[in-house]
Amino acid sequence: MSNFAPCRTRAAIGVSTHSRLALCVSATALAAALILPGQAAFAQVAPGVPNANSTAPAQVDAVTTAAEPTPQPAGAVPAAPQDTAAATPADDGGDDIVVTGIRAGLESSAKIKRQSVLIVDSISAEDVGKLPDVSIADSLARLPGVTAQRLEGRDQRLSIRGLGPDFSTTLLNGREQVTTGDNRGVEFDQYPSEFFKNVNVYKSADASLIAAGIAGTVDLRMLRPLDQPNRIVAISARGQMNGIDKLNPDGTRYGYRASATYVDKFADNTLGIAIGVSATQTPSQNERYNAWGYSGTGTTADPFLVNGAKPYVQSNELKRYGGVATIEWQPSDTFHSTFDALYSHFEETQILRGIEFPLAGQLASAGTVGGTTVSGVTSSDGFATDATFGNVFGVQRNDYNQRKADNYSFGWNNDLKLTDTIHLNVDASWSHADRTDFLLETNTGTGFAKSGAADTVTVKQNGNGTYTFSPTLDYTDTNVFKLTDPQGWGNNGNQQVVQTGFLNRPSFKDDLKSLRASLNGEFSNSVVKGWEAGGNYSQRKKTSAYTSYFLCPPGGGVNCTVASGTPLSSTVPSEALLGSNVALDYLGIPQMLTLDPLYLYNNTLQSAFDGRPSALVRDNVVLEKVWTGYAKVTIDGLVGDKPLKGSIGAQVVHSDQSSTGQIASVVGGAVTIAPVTESVKYTNFLPSATMSVELIPLGFVKVGASQTMVRPRLDQERVTQDVAINLTNIGQTPAGLFPVFTSTGGNVNLKPYQSTNIDLSFEKYFSGGGYVALSSYFKHLTDFVDPNNSLPYDFSALLPALTAAQQAQVIAAGQTIGNISTPDNTGRGEVLGVEATLSLPFKAITSALDGFGMFASGNYTQSTIKYGSNPTEAITLPGLSKWTGSGTIYFEKSGFQARANYRYRSSFLAEVAGLSANPTYRTARAEAILDAQIGYEFQSGPLRNFAILAQAKNLTDRPFVTYQNDDPRQVIDYQRYGRDYYVGITYKF
């Protein structure tokens, strides 16, 4: 269904009435122009997933029992009190083992894995408010089959079993969460790690797990106050220092982190509260290099020449303040109520300064007007290792980016025991995120559109694939460099503008409401132990709004256009100078002009609204209403003499998704938009079964089979279309090469990705602690979204936008057919892999090594995904590394602890920010990261429970590197973050 309001002209950009051709056509015609591709190429039979109960303890029991306060999925474990995990003997038999700190966390994680019938890996806090790493993502990246891509030096973009963040979901206490990011993938920086007791990664499915992912489901678990044996008051503080000194004079290399936790019980231990607060200021430095690509064929006669480069220095500062609260009330054995609240304020500031050098990409010999020249080329192995470029007009950049976000999450769970064997559980939740960005660019150069002094730049290739630059101009001389558009790149879609800068102001709102109710009970004297049935309704609304502006010199003109008399340049005001200039000496550039971009924006530059169709159509709203019904039975008994546990169930998921936005076009100087709304409904059936058999004492075989689904990216579900009408192509043939009509946009009719999964795990737990596990997985994927899908479409409905003569020419040339570029469910394929884990306290080998231990994991994944448009060639999945591995060696005894962790991932397709911050994909080089920490907790005396800790991240100083064309020599991005050092203290009363 589509509904269109009458179109209206948004902007007529400097064009006379005589030459303007408005695109105001009838609603029917615009509706026809926006018809999106039809139904998915493959049948929509969907899967199911296990949803850990929202208010259940961080660990859940394999089978729901009447004594449990809330219904649990088959496969989890009742929460162990934090202090109990650190002080109670292991329950696996054998000698009593008292574990603390690192070992307590590993033992708790092993217990979750052992008692679950699902295939799950976990990270457990070593103490209240202390996950084992600096961030949640750092900790998760140590788990088997889980990897993280570094963004701005921090682990962020998680992949599970080779599938990126678009294929997994994140829950908070079992409830689906919104994100401060652009799409669905949760940015883990929005959650302070101090607030969580466990983080579980479910890799197989269960019918009671709502909103699960194809790759896996990450469930963040807060502690439950009634599970704690004693009152807890804990405070911690930590200082941070970047190994690289601040790269910008207005940046910093020092940061801090502080948190406090209070947990207590009242009213005869029937009422519990847990409160936590956290504050963080995290700096980072980034020596950045970016190449525009390479010209040439890579031969001795025609070596690869770098097209251009953007060396930058970047200083970031992340500030986050947050708080959590849990109120838990259990006045009797028949009623249990829990309320959770979380708030986090996130603010990140980025200061970037650098110079863009157009080089071989603008060679005059290739036809570029006013282009560059090249001489003195020496080459090796098909690459120009030295060259001198003349007539270079560099673009100096002083940029400022700021992102502010607020994240709210509330959940209320109530469990009522109706009979001795039946429970009613009702859970309501709300998750909301607001984010605004301020992305400011400012430019200086020698003159407008290559009209100033030209530079001569000599480049020399480094051993790491980057280049050093030796310019001849003094880039700090304000008599030479002015506020201008040095390359003349500015264009508003119709005519040239003086783009001295640019401002993007996107904002996002993500809102999710959910209500869930379920009944669960038990059967007597049967291998079918229990049952559960329930339903969930959720409504998610993502609002994306974009506003952008051209910035130009002051002093006249209209809308920053050249034709209206906008000044082509202006002098740099002395008030904007910071007094000390930035050095790009890591790439050979001694200094550059260092300005305060906010001063220029607030006091100097004038702005003009960006009314291009591509800018206007970005605004959109995506609304998803989802009804989920599920039922399952749990199994607990003996098969022969072997203990068997498991569950069999299914979900039915009915979805009603819609999007509102607009169609935009420009023809003859008139920009026209028309509002549009479209919706689609579909239903998926998701069966699942999981079994765990204890074949030998503490030796388990776990099997899972399921159908699962995950929804497409939200920006792909948008209804907006950018329709282009190219009048210069009218009458030209062949029509396929000279289209008059084209359109680019989203597709509200997209269906979820589908996956049929088979999971198998062999797990052996040692009586003295630790375990070994070997798992394999197979996923058959259908309805895989091709983001670059294109198909022919008849644009005859837009002919009224043309004159009668033009219409006749278009029809005669057969040019009513054009292309629509829109994502569609045309892909399918397989993902399969194996992963192995060994957790081993060395005391199991000999008592002489008591306190020493290791945790190691490895994973191999391969995929063959093919799009319908190219069924013979498999694509590379974003985020998939064929080989990943992680190893931790630790020692902990008598209060002393030390640990080193090394993790490796092979090359992978990384998502990075491209032009105008739009996401793009490039191959990232293999990387290995080494982290370490050492600490001591006083065991007696006045300092008892006081601990000190020192940590270091990225001790290998490993950069993040991407390249193109499957050629590691063709480096595109090279980002060095350096090492980070932390020193902290903790005191628990």
Side-chain angles (χ1 to χ4, degrees), residues 141 146-147 857-859 881-887 901-907 925-930 958:
V146 181
T147 55
S857 67
N859 174 270
S881 290
K882 281 191 174 183
W883 295 97
T884 66
S886 174
N901 173 257
Y902 183 83
R903 54 189 170 94
Y904 167 83
R905 68 180 303 182
S906 59
S907 61
R925 187 178 291 172
E927 61 183 24
I929 309 295
L930 176 64
R958 190 58 59 96

Side-chain angles (χ1 to χ4, degrees), residues 396 444-446 474-483 570-578 581 592-595:
Q396 290 201 87
T444 55
T446 60
D474 178 0
Y475 279 78
T476 66
D477 190 346
T478 54
N479 294 318
V480 176
F481 286 88
K482 309 178 185 307
L483 298 173
S570 65
T571 58
V572 175
S574 59
E575 295 85 353
L577 299 172
L578 288 184
N581 289 315
M592 63 164 286
L593 191 59
T594 303
L595 310 177

Side-chain angles (χ1 to χ4, degrees), residues 671-690:
V671 177
T672 310
I673 63 173
V676 60
T677 298
E678 190 160 341
S679 64
V680 66
K681 298 179 181 180
Y682 52 88
T683 301
N684 301 95
F685 177 67
L686 313 175
S688 62
T690 184

Side-chain angles (χ1 to χ4, degrees), residues 499-521:
Q499 188 173 322
T500 306
F502 196 78
L503 176 65
N504 264 314
R505 297 291 303 270
S507 64
F508 305 91
K509 291 182 182 293
D510 200 355
D511 187 272
L512 175 63
K513 302 177 180 71
S514 182
L515 179 64
R516 176 175 177 168
S518 64
L519 286 168
N520 71 86

